Amino acid sequence: MTISYLNLLLGLLLLLVPGYLLYAYDRLTCRKAVVAFVRMMVQMAAMGGCLWLLYRFDSLWLNLLWLVILVAAASFLLVSRTQLQSRVLFLPSCVGMFVSVLAVSAYLIYAVLRPEASMTVRWFVPVTGVLMAHVLLTNIHGVRTYFDSLRQDSQPYFTLLGNGATRLQALAPYITRALRSIMVPAMANLSVMGLFVLPMLLSGLLLGGMPPVVAVSLFVVLAIACLAASLLSLVLILWLADRRAFNRQGQLSGNIFT
């Protein structure tokens, strides 16, 4: 399947419908929409150039470099959304997301999708892209829940420490809250995924020539892999950020928040 420049232009003509309506009734929103569209086109052009290089050379090292760039960008976004100091969270989030996404991707490609799949760009880039998007969104909620709970309700933590519990045991209730903040939305999404998300994803897989049964099976496996990568990355991030977030007395440092 190919899309020529003429076909692309015909597709872009659909912008005339929302463009005319917004220009006629809400010009402020129309200007914002134009800016957002131009920004999206620049981002997609840059993304297309990167993907062209990846598919042109199809090197494992370029694939890993692609993952490193994704992880670095996701870590910057995670730090900004959680309002924590970058010195506390940036490096742990980089390591946690890189290890979890790479490990789950390798397992998914070599153990589940084999023998057709390998760590080539055809499988590596789509799988890691899906996992990274899910891991980033869930980790924002998980990390924010963990540190906000410690900041707003630290009394149970100090009570457990005073009763002889280890720091890990004292932090267990807060880790549970963070994991629950990931699991509850994930279970809610899974309950409606078959009605709303599944048709959209299946459309792309079917357009790519994949048989329907294989497409459904791949979708189910990817959903499970996203959940596994999210939980693993959250635990790794919290564990790696522990020494940076707490002082030697076991107290949460007051200057970790921006």
Side-chain angles (χ1 to χ4, degrees):
M1 177 180 178
T2 58
I3 298 180
S4 64
Y5 291 111
L6 177 60
N7 299 134
L8 179 61
L9 179 61
L10 292 175
L12 292 177
L13 288 178
L14 291 173
L15 287 171
L16 294 177
V17 177
Y20 173 76
L21 294 175
L22 288 175
Y23 183 80
Y25 296 100
D26 192 351
R27 295 190 179 183
L28 178 61
T29 303
C30 182
R31 287 195 293 268
K32 294 181 179 179
V34 170
V35 172
F37 177 77
V38 172
R39 185 181 302 162
M40 181 200 71
M41 292 299 294
V42 172
Q43 293 174 350
M44 294 304 296
M47 182 72 68
C50 292
L51 290 176
W52 181 86
L53 288 175
L54 290 173
Y55 277 80
R56 172 67 176 80
F57 296 100
D58 197 4
S59 168
L60 176 60
W61 297 110
L62 282 179
N63 294 342
L64 292 177
L65 178 61
W66 161 263
L67 181 57
V68 169
I69 295 174
L70 284 183
V71 167
S75 298
F76 276 115
L77 187 58
L78 179 63
V79 170
S80 63
R81 293 292 180 87
T82 54
Q83 297 181 344
L84 292 169
Q85 294 286 351
S86 58
R87 63 175 180 81
V88 175
L89 192 60
F90 180 73
L91 186 59
S93 63
C94 283
V95 176
M97 286 192 285
F98 181 83
V99 171
S100 61
V101 170
L102 183 60
V104 174
S105 299
Y107 176 82
L108 190 62
I109 291 174
Y110 281 116
V112 179
L113 301 178
R114 67 181 185 90
E116 323 179 341
S118 61
M119 296 291 271
T120 57
V121 66
R122 178 172 176 262
W123 290 97
F124 185 83
V125 171
V127 169
T128 54
V130 171
L131 294 182
M132 274 300 309
H134 193 274
V135 164
L136 173 61
L137 293 177
T138 53
N139 279 345
I140 290 174
H141 293 290
V143 173
R144 182 186 297 165
T145 299
Y146 177 77
F147 284 102
D148 284 348
S149 299
L150 277 169
R151 179 172 56 175
Q152 299 170 4
D153 185 22
S154 59
Q155 187 59 42
Y157 168 70
F158 291 109
T159 300
L160 290 172
L161 283 180
N163 290 329
T166 63
R167 194 148 63 88
L168 181 59
Q169 292 172 336
L171 290 173
Y174 302 95
I175 297 176
T176 301
R177 292 183 193 179
L179 294 175
R180 190 176 297 164
S181 70
I182 289 181
M183 286 299 300
V184 172
M187 289 185 293
N189 291 336
L190 287 175
S191 64
V192 297
M193 194 171 286
L195 295 176
F196 301 104
V197 181
L198 182 59
M200 293 185 293
L201 292 179
L202 281 182
S203 298
L205 296 175
L206 295 175
L207 285 173
M210 186 172 292
V213 176
V214 178
V216 173
S217 302
L218 179 59
F219 173 80
V220 172
V221 172
L222 279 175
I224 298 173
C226 286
L227 184 58
S230 298
L231 294 176
L232 177 60
S233 62
L234 178 61
V235 172
L236 287 175
I237 290 172
L238 296 182
W239 178 66
L240 293 171
D242 183 79
R243 292 185 178 181
R244 299 170 181 264
F246 293 87
N247 56 29
R248 295 182 178 180
Q249 289 74 34
Q251 297 177 334
L252 189 66
S253 300
N255 59 348
I256 66 172
F257 299 98
T258 57

